[in-house]
Tab-separated table of all heavy atoms in Angstrom:
chain	number	residue	atom	x	y	z
A	707	ALA	N	-116.989	-94.343	-70.344
A	707	ALA	CA	-117.326	-93.027	-69.966
A	707	ALA	C	-117.883	-92.930	-68.547
A	707	ALA	O	-118.492	-93.940	-68.098
A	707	ALA	CB	-118.318	-92.449	-71.002
A	708	GLY	N	-117.590	-91.823	-67.952
A	708	GLY	CA	-118.063	-91.632	-66.613
A	708	GLY	C	-119.164	-90.429	-66.652
A	708	GLY	O	-119.055	-89.577	-67.466
A	709	GLY	N	-119.929	-90.492	-65.660
A	709	GLY	CA	-120.972	-89.505	-65.543
A	709	GLY	C	-121.588	-89.463	-64.132
A	709	GLY	O	-121.026	-89.963	-63.201
A	710	PHE	N	-122.760	-88.969	-64.025
A	710	PHE	CA	-123.502	-88.829	-62.756
A	710	PHE	C	-122.672	-88.230	-61.563
A	710	PHE	O	-121.975	-88.934	-60.937
A	710	PHE	CB	-123.998	-90.280	-62.297
A	710	PHE	CG	-125.073	-90.832	-63.300
A	710	PHE	CD1	-124.636	-91.858	-64.132
A	710	PHE	CD2	-126.295	-90.350	-63.305
A	710	PHE	CE1	-125.504	-92.405	-65.081
A	710	PHE	CE2	-127.187	-90.841	-64.249
A	710	PHE	CZ	-126.844	-91.919	-65.100
A	711	GLY	N	-122.676	-86.942	-61.512
A	711	GLY	CA	-122.081	-86.270	-60.401
A	711	GLY	C	-120.747	-85.705	-60.837
A	711	GLY	O	-120.008	-84.998	-60.064
A	712	VAL	N	-120.236	-85.910	-62.087
A	712	VAL	CA	-118.971	-85.352	-62.547
A	712	VAL	C	-119.201	-83.790	-62.667
A	712	VAL	O	-120.018	-83.375	-63.583
A	712	VAL	CB	-118.560	-85.991	-63.920
A	712	VAL	CG1	-117.268	-85.289	-64.341
A	712	VAL	CG2	-118.326	-87.499	-63.686
A	713	SER	N	-118.596	-83.056	-61.931
A	713	SER	CA	-118.767	-81.693	-61.990
A	713	SER	C	-117.572	-80.727	-61.651
A	713	SER	O	-117.729	-79.521	-61.396
A	713	SER	CB	-119.917	-81.288	-60.968
A	713	SER	OG	-119.525	-81.583	-59.684
A	714	SER	N	-116.390	-81.396	-61.668
A	714	SER	CA	-115.203	-80.578	-61.419
A	714	SER	C	-113.987	-81.143	-62.112
A	714	SER	O	-114.063	-82.275	-62.566
A	714	SER	CB	-114.910	-80.657	-59.879
A	714	SER	OG	-114.359	-81.905	-59.514
A	715	PRO	N	-113.007	-80.315	-62.286
A	715	PRO	CA	-111.741	-80.825	-62.907
A	715	PRO	C	-111.135	-82.055	-62.211
A	715	PRO	O	-110.622	-82.929	-62.903
A	715	PRO	CB	-110.778	-79.590	-62.861
A	715	PRO	CG	-111.682	-78.427	-62.773
A	715	PRO	CD	-112.970	-78.890	-62.026
A	716	ALA	N	-111.247	-82.065	-60.924
A	716	ALA	CA	-110.742	-83.240	-60.129
A	716	ALA	C	-111.423	-84.456	-60.530
A	716	ALA	O	-110.877	-85.507	-60.635
A	716	ALA	CB	-110.907	-82.978	-58.688
A	717	HIS	N	-112.830	-84.427	-60.675
A	717	HIS	CA	-113.555	-85.600	-61.118
A	717	HIS	C	-113.080	-86.106	-62.522
A	717	HIS	O	-112.862	-87.328	-62.785
A	717	HIS	CB	-115.084	-85.331	-61.240
A	717	HIS	CG	-115.633	-85.035	-59.931
A	717	HIS	ND1	-116.741	-84.156	-59.814
A	717	HIS	CD2	-115.402	-85.404	-58.616
A	717	HIS	CE1	-117.125	-84.004	-58.497
A	717	HIS	NE2	-116.328	-84.797	-57.830
A	718	VAL	N	-112.950	-85.184	-63.462
A	718	VAL	CA	-112.503	-85.462	-64.828
A	718	VAL	C	-111.043	-86.130	-64.799
A	718	VAL	O	-110.819	-87.116	-65.481
A	718	VAL	CB	-112.614	-84.277	-65.748
A	718	VAL	CG1	-111.983	-84.584	-67.068
A	718	VAL	CG2	-114.032	-83.768	-65.854
A	719	GLU	N	-110.200	-85.517	-64.057
A	719	GLU	CA	-108.845	-85.969	-64.015
A	719	GLU	C	-108.810	-87.426	-63.439
A	719	GLU	O	-108.149	-88.317	-63.924
A	719	GLU	CB	-107.979	-85.068	-63.162
A	719	GLU	CG	-106.524	-85.532	-63.094
A	719	GLU	CD	-105.676	-84.422	-62.426
A	719	GLU	OE1	-106.200	-83.750	-61.444
A	719	GLU	OE2	-104.494	-84.330	-62.741
A	720	MET	N	-109.580	-87.663	-62.362
A	720	MET	CA	-109.605	-89.007	-61.775
A	720	MET	C	-110.123	-90.050	-62.767
A	720	MET	O	-109.570	-91.094	-62.917
A	720	MET	CB	-110.508	-89.024	-60.553
A	720	MET	CG	-110.738	-90.343	-59.857
A	720	MET	SD	-111.862	-90.281	-58.515
A	720	MET	CE	-113.391	-89.962	-59.371
A	721	LEU	N	-111.200	-89.729	-63.481
A	721	LEU	CA	-111.714	-90.663	-64.427
A	721	LEU	C	-110.776	-90.854	-65.704
A	721	LEU	O	-110.609	-91.985	-66.085
A	721	LEU	CB	-113.100	-90.105	-64.931
A	721	LEU	CG	-114.224	-90.201	-63.961
A	721	LEU	CD1	-115.442	-89.395	-64.396
A	721	LEU	CD2	-114.650	-91.674	-63.740
A	722	ALA	N	-110.151	-89.854	-66.036
A	722	ALA	CA	-109.163	-89.999	-67.216
A	722	ALA	C	-107.999	-90.855	-66.744
A	722	ALA	O	-107.604	-91.690	-67.527
A	722	ALA	CB	-108.670	-88.607	-67.672
A	723	LYS	N	-107.502	-90.643	-65.533
A	723	LYS	CA	-106.363	-91.475	-65.142
A	723	LYS	C	-106.753	-92.877	-64.889
A	723	LYS	O	-105.996	-93.829	-64.976
A	723	LYS	CB	-105.738	-90.841	-63.830
A	723	LYS	CG	-104.962	-89.614	-64.142
A	723	LYS	CD	-104.365	-89.032	-62.866
A	723	LYS	CE	-103.445	-87.857	-63.166
A	723	LYS	NZ	-102.851	-87.269	-61.994
A	724	ALA	N	-108.055	-93.153	-64.646
A	724	ALA	CA	-108.534	-94.447	-64.438
A	724	ALA	C	-108.858	-95.211	-65.780
A	724	ALA	O	-109.176	-96.328	-65.767
A	724	ALA	CB	-109.863	-94.417	-63.643
A	725	GLY	N	-108.635	-94.403	-66.825
A	725	GLY	CA	-108.823	-95.036	-68.174
A	725	GLY	C	-110.074	-94.752	-68.924
A	725	GLY	O	-110.354	-95.297	-69.994
A	726	SER	N	-110.902	-93.866	-68.395
A	726	SER	CA	-112.186	-93.504	-69.018
A	726	SER	C	-111.894	-92.895	-70.414
A	726	SER	O	-111.002	-92.111	-70.555
A	726	SER	CB	-112.962	-92.528	-68.107
A	726	SER	OG	-114.138	-92.198	-68.781
A	727	GLU	N	-112.700	-93.192	-71.270
A	727	GLU	CA	-112.501	-92.623	-72.635
A	727	GLU	C	-113.377	-91.418	-72.869
A	727	GLU	O	-113.307	-90.785	-73.897
A	727	GLU	CB	-112.928	-93.691	-73.737
A	727	GLU	CG	-111.875	-94.831	-73.749
A	727	GLU	CD	-112.201	-95.845	-74.814
A	727	GLU	OE1	-113.190	-95.625	-75.546
A	727	GLU	OE2	-111.548	-96.896	-74.904
A	728	GLY	N	-114.170	-91.021	-71.828
A	728	GLY	CA	-114.988	-89.849	-71.925
A	728	GLY	C	-115.679	-89.539	-70.585
A	728	GLY	O	-115.701	-90.454	-69.746
A	729	VAL	N	-116.204	-88.344	-70.439
A	729	VAL	CA	-116.955	-88.022	-69.250
A	729	VAL	C	-118.209	-87.302	-69.699
A	729	VAL	O	-118.229	-86.668	-70.824
A	729	VAL	CB	-116.126	-87.076	-68.370
A	729	VAL	CG1	-114.921	-87.824	-67.744
A	729	VAL	CG2	-115.686	-85.895	-68.924
A	730	ILE	N	-119.230	-87.277	-68.840
A	730	ILE	CA	-120.443	-86.673	-69.185
A	730	ILE	C	-120.584	-85.621	-68.048
A	730	ILE	O	-120.715	-85.924	-66.934
A	730	ILE	CB	-121.619	-87.648	-69.232
A	730	ILE	CG1	-121.387	-88.705	-70.345
A	730	ILE	CG2	-122.992	-86.908	-69.442
A	730	ILE	CD1	-122.273	-89.840	-70.328
A	731	ILE	N	-120.744	-84.351	-68.418
A	731	ILE	CA	-120.864	-83.240	-67.467
A	731	ILE	C	-122.124	-82.408	-67.753
A	731	ILE	O	-122.184	-81.273	-67.402
A	731	ILE	CB	-119.599	-82.381	-67.400
A	731	ILE	CG1	-119.300	-81.853	-68.770
A	731	ILE	CG2	-118.382	-83.107	-66.829
A	731	ILE	CD1	-118.149	-80.783	-68.834
A	732	GLY	N	-123.121	-83.012	-68.300
A	732	GLY	CA	-124.323	-82.390	-68.719
A	732	GLY	C	-125.044	-81.676	-67.639
A	732	GLY	O	-125.387	-80.471	-67.846
A	733	SER	N	-125.207	-82.244	-66.502
A	733	SER	CA	-125.956	-81.630	-65.473
A	733	SER	C	-125.244	-80.371	-64.950
A	733	SER	O	-125.946	-79.354	-64.593
A	733	SER	CB	-126.141	-82.643	-64.271
A	733	SER	OG	-126.935	-83.715	-64.608
A	734	ALA	N	-123.944	-80.387	-64.873
A	734	ALA	CA	-123.216	-79.267	-64.453
A	734	ALA	C	-123.383	-78.068	-65.405
A	734	ALA	O	-123.519	-76.909	-65.027
A	734	ALA	CB	-121.701	-79.555	-64.239
A	735	LEU	N	-123.414	-78.399	-66.763
A	735	LEU	CA	-123.552	-77.350	-67.709
A	735	LEU	C	-124.944	-76.792	-67.681
A	735	LEU	O	-125.159	-75.583	-67.718
A	735	LEU	CB	-123.254	-77.930	-69.141
A	735	LEU	CG	-121.819	-78.345	-69.333
A	735	LEU	CD1	-121.747	-79.050	-70.693
A	735	LEU	CD2	-120.887	-77.282	-69.234
A	736	ILE	N	-125.941	-77.672	-67.506
A	736	ILE	CA	-127.411	-77.218	-67.453
A	736	ILE	C	-127.593	-76.311	-66.188
A	736	ILE	O	-128.225	-75.306	-66.270
A	736	ILE	CB	-128.336	-78.359	-67.315
A	736	ILE	CG1	-128.285	-79.179	-68.632
A	736	ILE	CG2	-129.723	-77.980	-67.010
A	736	ILE	CD1	-128.674	-78.490	-69.856
A	737	LYS	N	-126.922	-76.602	-65.092
A	737	LYS	CA	-127.000	-75.798	-63.896
A	737	LYS	C	-126.535	-74.377	-64.156
A	737	LYS	O	-127.056	-73.381	-63.781
A	737	LYS	CB	-126.255	-76.377	-62.806
A	737	LYS	CG	-126.333	-75.692	-61.436
A	737	LYS	CD	-125.658	-76.423	-60.333
A	737	LYS	CE	-125.717	-75.662	-59.060
A	737	LYS	NZ	-125.016	-76.422	-57.978
A	738	ILE	N	-125.346	-74.267	-64.815
A	738	ILE	CA	-124.765	-72.931	-65.142
A	738	ILE	C	-125.757	-72.174	-66.073
A	738	ILE	O	-126.023	-70.987	-65.830
A	738	ILE	CB	-123.456	-73.097	-65.827
A	738	ILE	CG1	-122.347	-73.614	-64.797
A	738	ILE	CG2	-122.937	-71.710	-66.360
A	738	ILE	CD1	-121.073	-74.051	-65.408
A	739	ILE	N	-126.229	-72.875	-67.010
A	739	ILE	CA	-127.239	-72.191	-67.965
A	739	ILE	C	-128.472	-71.738	-67.307
A	739	ILE	O	-128.895	-70.656	-67.427
A	739	ILE	CB	-127.589	-73.194	-69.138
A	739	ILE	CG1	-126.320	-73.392	-70.012
A	739	ILE	CG2	-128.731	-72.603	-69.977
A	739	ILE	CD1	-126.476	-74.562	-70.978
A	740	GLU	N	-128.990	-72.572	-66.405
A	740	GLU	CA	-130.247	-72.232	-65.704
A	740	GLU	C	-130.018	-71.057	-64.819
A	740	GLU	O	-130.893	-70.204	-64.593
A	740	GLU	CB	-130.687	-73.372	-64.841
A	740	GLU	CG	-131.370	-74.509	-65.624
A	740	GLU	CD	-131.822	-75.678	-64.754
A	740	GLU	OE1	-131.286	-75.810	-63.664
A	740	GLU	OE2	-132.621	-76.399	-65.268
A	741	GLN	N	-128.809	-70.934	-64.196
A	741	GLN	CA	-128.527	-69.788	-63.247
A	741	GLN	C	-128.256	-68.464	-64.051
A	741	GLN	O	-128.161	-67.452	-63.398
A	741	GLN	CB	-127.236	-70.182	-62.334
A	741	GLN	CG	-127.550	-71.241	-61.459
A	741	GLN	CD	-126.292	-71.719	-60.745
A	741	GLN	OE1	-125.122	-71.417	-61.147
A	741	GLN	NE2	-126.450	-72.505	-59.629
A	742	ASN	N	-128.076	-68.562	-65.315
A	742	ASN	CA	-127.780	-67.356	-66.150
A	742	ASN	C	-128.738	-67.202	-67.327
A	742	ASN	O	-128.275	-66.613	-68.314
A	742	ASN	CB	-126.360	-67.475	-66.633
A	742	ASN	CG	-125.351	-67.464	-65.447
A	742	ASN	OD1	-125.074	-66.357	-64.946
A	742	ASN	ND2	-124.904	-68.554	-65.040
A	743	LEU	N	-129.953	-67.606	-67.225
A	743	LEU	CA	-130.862	-67.581	-68.219
A	743	LEU	C	-131.139	-66.043	-68.775
A	743	LEU	O	-131.435	-65.809	-69.962
A	743	LEU	CB	-132.252	-68.098	-67.962
A	743	LEU	CG	-132.276	-69.645	-67.892
A	743	LEU	CD1	-133.547	-70.168	-67.314
A	743	LEU	CD2	-131.963	-70.242	-69.245
A	744	THR	N	-131.035	-65.100	-67.889
A	744	THR	CA	-131.407	-63.756	-68.269
A	744	THR	C	-130.114	-62.907	-68.776
A	744	THR	O	-130.289	-61.806	-69.161
A	744	THR	CB	-132.020	-62.968	-67.091
A	744	THR	OG1	-131.096	-63.007	-65.988
A	744	THR	CG2	-133.312	-63.662	-66.724
A	745	ASP	N	-128.928	-63.548	-68.720
A	745	ASP	CA	-127.770	-62.790	-69.164
A	745	ASP	C	-126.828	-63.728	-69.892
A	745	ASP	O	-126.045	-64.473	-69.402
A	745	ASP	CB	-127.003	-62.356	-67.922
A	745	ASP	CG	-125.866	-61.425	-68.160
A	745	ASP	OD1	-125.408	-61.370	-69.385
A	745	ASP	OD2	-125.316	-60.737	-67.233
A	746	ILE	N	-127.013	-63.755	-71.288
A	746	ILE	CA	-126.324	-64.626	-72.171
A	746	ILE	C	-124.753	-64.375	-72.067
A	746	ILE	O	-124.026	-65.364	-72.079
A	746	ILE	CB	-126.746	-64.562	-73.546
A	746	ILE	CG1	-126.233	-65.618	-74.427
A	746	ILE	CG2	-126.544	-63.174	-74.194
A	746	ILE	CD1	-126.594	-67.020	-74.118
A	747	ASN	N	-124.355	-63.115	-71.916
A	747	ASN	CA	-122.943	-62.842	-71.861
A	747	ASN	C	-122.336	-63.534	-70.605
A	747	ASN	O	-121.248	-64.086	-70.733
A	747	ASN	CB	-122.678	-61.381	-71.961
A	747	ASN	CG	-122.977	-60.822	-73.332
A	747	ASN	OD1	-122.793	-61.458	-74.280
A	747	ASN	ND2	-123.503	-59.580	-73.342
A	748	ASN	N	-122.975	-63.354	-69.495
A	748	ASN	CA	-122.493	-63.988	-68.265
A	748	ASN	C	-122.574	-65.461	-68.400
A	748	ASN	O	-121.657	-66.194	-67.851
A	748	ASN	CB	-123.268	-63.466	-67.043
A	748	ASN	CG	-122.512	-63.795	-65.703
A	748	ASN	OD1	-121.400	-63.417	-65.572
A	748	ASN	ND2	-123.132	-64.510	-64.881
A	749	CYS	N	-123.631	-65.961	-68.979
A	749	CYS	CA	-123.709	-67.412	-69.180
A	749	CYS	C	-122.560	-68.019	-69.934
A	749	CYS	O	-121.877	-68.936	-69.471
A	749	CYS	CB	-125.034	-67.718	-69.895
A	749	CYS	SG	-125.301	-69.487	-70.063
A	750	LEU	N	-122.167	-67.344	-71.008
A	750	LEU	CA	-121.068	-67.848	-71.752
A	750	LEU	C	-119.744	-67.719	-71.057
A	750	LEU	O	-118.873	-68.556	-71.062
A	750	LEU	CB	-120.972	-67.035	-73.102
A	750	LEU	CG	-122.075	-67.238	-74.091
A	750	LEU	CD1	-122.035	-66.334	-75.268
A	750	LEU	CD2	-122.156	-68.725	-74.569
A	751	LYS	N	-119.553	-66.616	-70.291
A	751	LYS	CA	-118.426	-66.432	-69.445
A	751	LYS	C	-118.294	-67.578	-68.350
A	751	LYS	O	-117.227	-68.133	-68.248
A	751	LYS	CB	-118.437	-65.059	-68.748
A	751	LYS	CG	-117.310	-64.823	-67.779
A	751	LYS	CD	-117.577	-63.467	-67.070
A	751	LYS	CE	-116.621	-63.308	-65.956
A	751	LYS	NZ	-116.941	-62.107	-65.145
A	752	MET	N	-119.436	-67.819	-67.709
A	752	MET	CA	-119.350	-68.842	-66.720
A	752	MET	C	-119.137	-70.319	-67.341
A	752	MET	O	-118.447	-71.130	-66.728
A	752	MET	CB	-120.689	-68.879	-65.939
A	752	MET	CG	-121.036	-67.617	-65.243
A	752	MET	SD	-119.705	-67.117	-64.050
A	752	MET	CE	-119.864	-68.402	-62.776
A	753	LEU	N	-119.671	-70.560	-68.497
A	753	LEU	CA	-119.435	-71.816	-69.112
A	753	LEU	C	-117.975	-71.981	-69.503
A	753	LEU	O	-117.349	-73.054	-69.319
A	753	LEU	CB	-120.290	-72.011	-70.430
A	753	LEU	CG	-121.765	-72.222	-70.178
A	753	LEU	CD1	-122.573	-72.076	-71.441
A	753	LEU	CD2	-122.025	-73.605	-69.507
A	754	LYS	N	-117.351	-70.923	-70.037
A	754	LYS	CA	-115.969	-70.940	-70.337
A	754	LYS	C	-115.149	-71.139	-69.147
A	754	LYS	O	-114.188	-71.982	-69.110
A	754	LYS	CB	-115.550	-69.723	-71.079
A	754	LYS	CG	-116.060	-69.575	-72.492
A	754	LYS	CD	-115.620	-68.211	-73.101
A	754	LYS	CE	-116.264	-68.039	-74.459
A	754	LYS	NZ	-115.895	-66.710	-75.044
A	755	GLN	N	-115.424	-70.453	-68.023
A	755	GLN	CA	-114.643	-70.635	-66.771
A	755	GLN	C	-114.810	-72.039	-66.215
A	755	GLN	O	-113.845	-72.593	-65.657
A	755	GLN	CB	-115.189	-69.617	-65.672
A	755	GLN	CG	-114.736	-68.213	-65.929
A	755	GLN	CD	-115.282	-67.274	-64.915
A	755	GLN	OE1	-115.962	-67.633	-64.038
A	755	GLN	NE2	-114.924	-65.987	-64.993
A	756	PHE	N	-115.931	-72.688	-66.357
A	756	PHE	CA	-116.188	-74.019	-65.955
A	756	PHE	C	-115.421	-75.045	-66.832
A	756	PHE	O	-114.746	-75.910	-66.343
A	756	PHE	CB	-117.640	-74.330	-65.926
A	756	PHE	CG	-117.937	-75.746	-65.603
A	756	PHE	CD1	-117.795	-76.209	-64.302
A	756	PHE	CD2	-118.376	-76.634	-66.587
A	756	PHE	CE1	-118.116	-77.563	-63.970
A	756	PHE	CE2	-118.613	-77.986	-66.265
A	756	PHE	CZ	-118.470	-78.421	-64.922
A	757	LEU	N	-115.461	-74.773	-68.153
A	757	LEU	CA	-114.919	-75.869	-69.052
A	757	LEU	C	-113.425	-75.782	-69.248
A	757	LEU	O	-112.741	-76.806	-69.445
A	757	LEU	CB	-115.547	-75.676	-70.449
A	757	LEU	CG	-117.022	-76.119	-70.469
A	757	LEU	CD1	-117.650	-75.754	-71.802
A	757	LEU	CD2	-117.102	-77.651	-70.281
A	758	ARG	N	-112.810	-74.533	-69.147
A	758	ARG	CA	-111.365	-74.417	-69.334
A	758	ARG	C	-110.584	-75.327	-68.470
A	758	ARG	O	-109.686	-76.085	-69.044
A	758	ARG	CB	-110.980	-72.946	-69.216
A	758	ARG	CG	-109.492	-72.691	-69.564
A	758	ARG	CD	-109.201	-71.180	-69.672
A	758	ARG	NE	-109.767	-70.597	-70.801
A	758	ARG	CZ	-110.670	-69.665	-70.753
A	758	ARG	NH1	-111.104	-69.185	-69.624
A	758	ARG	NH2	-111.182	-69.180	-71.828
A	759	PRO	N	-110.745	-75.305	-67.183
A	759	PRO	CA	-109.915	-76.247	-66.379
A	759	PRO	C	-110.167	-77.750	-66.602
A	759	PRO	O	-109.366	-78.553	-66.485
A	759	PRO	CB	-110.207	-75.864	-64.947
A	759	PRO	CG	-111.384	-75.048	-64.941
A	759	PRO	CD	-111.506	-74.396	-66.346
A	760	ILE	N	-111.323	-78.003	-67.005
A	760	ILE	CA	-111.799	-79.393	-67.284
A	760	ILE	C	-111.102	-79.864	-68.531
A	760	ILE	O	-110.584	-80.967	-68.617
A	760	ILE	CB	-113.307	-79.511	-67.352
A	760	ILE	CG1	-113.944	-79.475	-65.980
A	760	ILE	CG2	-113.725	-80.844	-68.049
A	760	ILE	CD1	-115.392	-79.474	-65.850
A	761	ILE	N	-111.012	-78.998	-69.554
A	761	ILE	CA	-110.336	-79.406	-70.746
A	761	ILE	C	-108.843	-79.605	-70.460
A	761	ILE	O	-108.217	-80.533	-70.947
A	761	ILE	CB	-110.554	-78.287	-71.852
A	761	ILE	CG1	-112.043	-78.363	-72.269
A	761	ILE	CG2	-109.560	-78.441	-72.949
A	761	ILE	CD1	-112.427	-77.164	-73.149
A	762	GLU	N	-108.223	-78.765	-69.646
A	762	GLU	CA	-106.834	-78.830	-69.290
A	762	GLU	C	-106.526	-80.176	-68.511
A	762	GLU	O	-105.544	-80.876	-68.925
A	762	GLU	CB	-106.328	-77.691	-68.461
A	762	GLU	CG	-106.239	-76.418	-69.228
A	762	GLU	CD	-105.332	-76.536	-70.447
A	762	GLU	OE1	-104.183	-77.048	-70.245
A	762	GLU	OE2	-105.689	-76.117	-71.551
A	763	VAL	N	-107.324	-80.559	-67.631
A	763	VAL	CA	-107.010	-81.795	-66.827
A	763	VAL	C	-107.361	-83.087	-67.649
A	763	VAL	O	-106.873	-84.150	-67.365
A	763	VAL	CB	-107.671	-81.880	-65.496
A	763	VAL	CG1	-107.233	-80.754	-64.602
A	763	VAL	CG2	-109.218	-81.914	-65.541
A	764	SER	N	-108.080	-82.951	-68.752
A	764	SER	CA	-108.432	-84.134	-69.522
A	764	SER	C	-107.235	-84.529	-70.422
A	764	SER	O	-107.311	-85.534	-71.025
A	764	SER	CB	-109.700	-83.870	-70.360
A	764	SER	OG	-109.466	-82.898	-71.351
A	765	LYS	N	-106.250	-83.682	-70.492
A	765	LYS	CA	-105.094	-84.013	-71.382
A	765	LYS	C	-104.109	-84.768	-70.564
A	765	LYS	O	-103.258	-84.184	-69.841
A	765	LYS	CB	-104.468	-82.720	-71.894
A	765	LYS	CG	-105.439	-82.010	-72.773
A	765	LYS	CD	-104.837	-80.608	-73.259
A	765	LYS	CE	-105.872	-79.945	-74.116
A	765	LYS	NZ	-105.428	-78.554	-74.425
A	766	ILE	N	-104.167	-86.069	-70.592
A	766	ILE	CA	-103.332	-86.910	-69.827
A	766	ILE	C	-102.352	-87.675	-70.729
A	766	ILE	O	-102.781	-88.371	-71.692
A	766	ILE	CB	-104.231	-88.058	-69.036
A	766	ILE	CG1	-105.311	-87.414	-68.220
A	766	ILE	CG2	-103.327	-88.926	-68.200
A	766	ILE	CD1	-104.818	-86.447	-67.112
A	767	ASP	N	-101.059	-87.497	-70.533
A	767	ASP	CA	-100.015	-88.214	-71.250
A	767	ASP	C	-100.257	-88.003	-72.764
A	767	ASP	O	-100.306	-89.087	-73.513
A	767	ASP	CB	-99.918	-89.677	-70.924
A	767	ASP	CG	-99.491	-89.818	-69.422
A	767	ASP	OD1	-98.703	-89.021	-69.013
A	767	ASP	OD2	-99.906	-90.792	-68.840
A	768	ASN	N	-100.424	-86.839	-73.228
A	768	ASN	CA	-100.549	-86.477	-74.689
A	768	ASN	C	-101.837	-87.120	-75.247
A	768	ASN	O	-102.012	-87.252	-76.452
A	768	ASN	CB	-99.370	-86.936	-75.461
A	768	ASN	CG	-98.127	-86.069	-75.141
A	768	ASN	OD1	-98.273	-84.946	-74.870
A	768	ASN	ND2	-97.018	-86.743	-75.045
A	769	PHE	N	-102.742	-87.593	-74.417
A	769	PHE	CA	-104.051	-88.104	-74.855
A	769	PHE	C	-105.048	-87.128	-74.365
A	769	PHE	O	-105.075	-86.613	-73.263
A	769	PHE	CB	-104.324	-89.482	-74.261
A	769	PHE	CG	-105.675	-90.088	-74.643
A	769	PHE	CD1	-105.871	-90.597	-75.880
A	769	PHE	CD2	-106.694	-89.944	-73.716
A	769	PHE	CE1	-107.162	-91.100	-76.217
A	769	PHE	CE2	-107.978	-90.430	-74.091
A	769	PHE	CZ	-108.118	-90.982	-75.309
A	770	THR	N	-105.999	-86.816	-75.206
A	770	THR	CA	-107.053	-85.890	-74.800
A	770	THR	C	-108.425	-86.537	-74.935
A	770	THR	O	-108.577	-87.322	-75.885
A	770	THR	CB	-106.960	-84.590	-75.607
A	770	THR	OG1	-108.066	-83.758	-75.157
A	770	THR	CG2	-107.152	-84.754	-77.069
A	771	LEU	N	-109.292	-86.238	-74.108
A	771	LEU	CA	-110.684	-86.744	-74.195
A	771	LEU	C	-111.491	-85.933	-75.206
A	771	LEU	O	-112.586	-86.390	-75.563
A	771	LEU	CB	-111.429	-86.674	-72.797
A	771	LEU	CG	-110.702	-87.425	-71.671
A	771	LEU	CD1	-111.529	-87.149	-70.401
A	771	LEU	CD2	-110.757	-88.933	-71.992
A	772	TRP	N	-110.906	-84.827	-75.714
A	772	TRP	CA	-111.722	-83.960	-76.581
A	772	TRP	C	-111.179	-84.144	-78.045
A	772	TRP	O	-110.384	-83.306	-78.517
A	772	TRP	CB	-111.497	-82.551	-76.141
A	772	TRP	CG	-111.782	-82.409	-74.664
A	772	TRP	CD1	-110.849	-82.418	-73.625
A	772	TRP	CD2	-113.022	-82.278	-74.063
A	772	TRP	NE1	-111.513	-82.302	-72.423
A	772	TRP	CE2	-112.837	-82.278	-72.641
A	772	TRP	CE3	-114.332	-82.301	-74.522
A	772	TRP	CZ2	-113.906	-82.178	-71.721
A	772	TRP	CZ3	-115.360	-82.230	-73.589
A	772	TRP	CH2	-115.184	-82.169	-72.223
A	773	ARG	N	-111.554	-85.191	-78.644
A	773	ARG	CA	-111.090	-85.367	-80.006
A	773	ARG	C	-112.132	-84.970	-81.020
A	773	ARG	O	-113.309	-84.984	-80.872
A	773	ARG	CB	-110.895	-86.900	-80.252
A	773	ARG	CG	-109.706	-87.374	-79.525
A	773	ARG	CD	-109.313	-88.751	-79.938
A	773	ARG	NE	-108.137	-89.108	-79.174
A	773	ARG	CZ	-107.473	-90.280	-79.283
A	773	ARG	NH1	-107.889	-91.110	-80.073
A	773	ARG	NH2	-106.422	-90.504	-78.544
């Protein structure tokens, strides 16, 4: 698994292609939550916008990191 600074689809794709079985993106998620503490609807919207492309690039050769 990869972590520490993973915060973009490009990072996830690179790690997946290198054979990583997982990635840790906790800090990036916490940052989004902290920036949207007063607006839960916007927080959820921003989390979805962040995660959607990461989920897409994690699907490498019919293998997905999200089992």
